[in-house]
Amino acid sequence: LGLDERLSGVVRITSTDAFASEFIIPTVAQLRLEHPGIEVQLHASTQMLNLSQREADIAVRTLKPDNPELVVRRLARWRTGLFASHEYLQRRGEPTPGSAFAGHELVVYQPYLDSGKEVTLAGEPIDQGNIAMTCTSGLMVRHALACGTGLGELPVPMGQRAGLQQVWTHGRPYDIWLVTHQDVRHTARVRVVIEAIAQAFGQ
């Protein structure tokens, strides 16, 4: 596979719906103007496909795998922040640090709740807040915040792209990794897609 120098054929990408809609789909649209022979099969889900079993050629993930057969490249390191719509903040005001969100509505990422860990938003405990909505994807969290549902945590660039108001920033790093299998990383069509995605995140 690594000797295949054709800039045509199928490239399978797995990613979250937020990264797919904001970065990968626009990248593929632009890439195909130059390389129309490349067909991208995009699987947007929080489900982790297995690259070692060739379920995908490229993965864009927030978790770094430790499988030695996989080649890992960090695309970006973002900070996270607490965000809400302008309408929500006008209606409810900003939360006070140290108040555990007393008197506020919250939008929480459901897998975070399911993890069993202590849940915080941008470093603040949520004990006194009211969970208005849980969502199973970052894209849905963003839409819920944009609709004025409550306060929530997002990577800073994603919150800014959505036109949300940033209440405060949290120092926790949010890493994004591009992962591929060592057997396919030198395949021409895979390599050109990898570089295009890396450039999109770099911008």
Side-chain angles (χ1 to χ4, degrees), residues 33-52:
L33 297 177
E34 186 176 353
H35 303 294
I38 294 177
E39 175 193 339
V40 170
Q41 295 178 356
L42 178 59
H43 181 271
S45 171
T46 54
Q47 176 189 358
M48 296 287 192
L49 296 188
N50 192 319
L51 273 69
S52 295

Side-chain angles (χ1 to χ4, degrees), residues 140-202:
M140 287 192 286
V141 169
R142 220 170 2 138
H143 282 310
L145 297 180
C147 289
T149 309
L151 297 156
E153 180 179 328
L154 290 172
V156 170
M158 302 301 274
Q160 292 173 342
R161 279 172 171 259
L164 294 166
Q165 299 288 116
Q166 188 172 341
V167 181
W168 66 63
T169 302
H170 183 49
R172 180 178 68 85
Y174 185 94
D175 290 329
I176 304 163
W177 306 95
L178 186 146
V179 187
T180 189
H181 195 278
Q182 59 185 0
D183 289 350
V184 301
R185 65 173 172 151
H186 295 304
T187 305
R189 63 181 180 273
V190 173
R191 189 171 63 243
V192 75
V193 173
I194 286 173
E195 292 308 317
I197 292 173
Q199 184 178 5
F201 276 91

Side-chain angles (χ1 to χ4, degrees), residues 83-135:
F83 286 89
S85 69
H86 180 70
E87 180 272 331
Y88 176 86
L89 294 175
Q90 277 194 322
R91 176 164 43 91
R92 303 297 292 269
E94 293 190 4
T96 303
S99 68
F101 296 110
H104 280 279
E105 306 294 307
L106 307 175
V107 178
V108 182
Y109 183 54
Q110 182 65 48
Y112 192 14
L113 284 177
D114 295 340
S115 70
K117 300 177 182 177
E118 180 188 5
V119 179
T120 61
L121 291 180
E124 180 78 13
I126 66 169
D127 305 359
Q128 301 303 313
N130 178 43
I131 297 178
M133 182 179 291
T134 64
C135 302

